[in-house]
Amino acid sequence: MTDQATGVTDPANRVEGEIPGKPTAASRTTLSHIMTGSDTNLLGTVHGGVIMKLVDDAAGAVAGRHSGGPAVTASMDEMVFLEPVRVGDLVHVKAQVNWTGRSSMEVGVRVMAERWNESTPAQQVGSAYLVFAAVDGDGKPRRVPPVIPETERDNRRYQEAQIRRTHRLARRRAIKELREKRAAEGIDD
């Protein structure tokens, strides 16, 4: 149900017949990997694509856990690299479901890195938001359980995810309209 005052959907207030919700912690996971020389780019730091694969792997595990079956990457939003990752860094990719729709889920990912042989705290080196679609054996969308935020931080992430979803849909709609307009004007791109 949607709170009329805030416009925010409360996943705990589900409609009769819906799949029971799952708390955020039920599928939260951390994937850790030590970076080696084979992970480097031409600058000698870890290639962004290596980090992106780890992000997608962790997010996919979370989406599959939350949905109880296969889930495919539909989009990746806002992949941000804050600091370079170096050979010898122990990278921790922390992921959780932030929001769920009927068959889609937004997974938030935080990338942390620490030196493998030091006792200094890990620092955040990146973040991303991915959207996954749960699919059945035929690749068709299937329903996912609502996510139930457990903390104030989870509630904030849930609300921010709804804003990102609104922006994604508006962007998609605007691009579609522009392309249709250009096609109607005979402009072939």
Side-chain angles (χ1 to χ4, degrees):
M1 299 183 99
T2 302
D3 181 316
Q4 297 303 317
T6 64
V8 174
T9 302
D10 181 356
N13 294 331
R14 57 188 181 88
V15 177
E16 188 66 35
E18 278 190 16
I19 301 169
K22 287 185 177 180
T24 305
S27 57
R28 188 179 288 143
T29 194
T30 300
L31 173 68
S32 296
H33 187 80
I34 193 160
M35 298 291 107
T36 66
S38 64
D39 299 317
T40 60
N41 59 27
L42 295 175
L43 298 175
T45 56
V46 173
H47 195 289
V50 171
I51 301 300
M52 291 173 77
K53 181 180 184 326
L54 294 173
V55 164
D56 191 43
D57 287 347
V62 166
R65 281 178 163 185
H66 183 83
S67 68
V72 296
T73 310
S75 70
M76 177 183 273
D77 288 354
E78 300 179 36
M79 180 70 209
V80 177
F81 298 100
L82 302 170
E83 297 289 336
V85 177
R86 301 171 294 163
V87 170
D89 281 353
L90 180 57
V91 172
H92 308 286
V93 182
K94 300 171 181 279
Q96 75 172 49
V97 173
N98 291 336
W99 174 90
T100 54
R102 186 178 152 342
S103 61
S104 64
M105 302 157 275
E106 183 194 89
V107 179
V109 180
R110 179 173 292 172
V111 183
M112 310 292 288
E114 62 181 306
R115 295 306 293 167
W116 69 274
N117 60 347
E118 296 176 9
S119 60
T120 56
Q123 80 176 75
Q124 185 173 353
V125 296
S127 65
Y129 300 101
L130 295 87
V131 176
F132 280 80
V135 294
D136 63 17
D138 296 323
K140 303 289 185 207
R142 62 182 175 80
R143 305 258 335 223
V144 299
V147 66
I148 302 171
E150 299 172 282
T151 66
E152 281 306 311
R153 177 182 275 182
D154 293 342
N155 281 320
R156 175 186 54 80
R157 288 178 178 181
Y158 185 88
Q159 291 172 357
E160 290 173 357
Q162 287 183 308
I163 293 167
R164 282 187 292 275
R165 179 177 185 273
T166 299
H167 287 234
R168 276 191 298 273
L169 294 174
R171 183 176 59 233
R172 182 184 309 156
R173 190 171 38 256
I175 289 170
K176 180 180 178 189
E177 289 170 3
L178 177 62
R179 288 179 178 174
E180 288 171 353
K181 178 180 177 229
R182 290 177 60 83
E185 294 171 352
I187 301 171
D188 186 22
D189 291 336

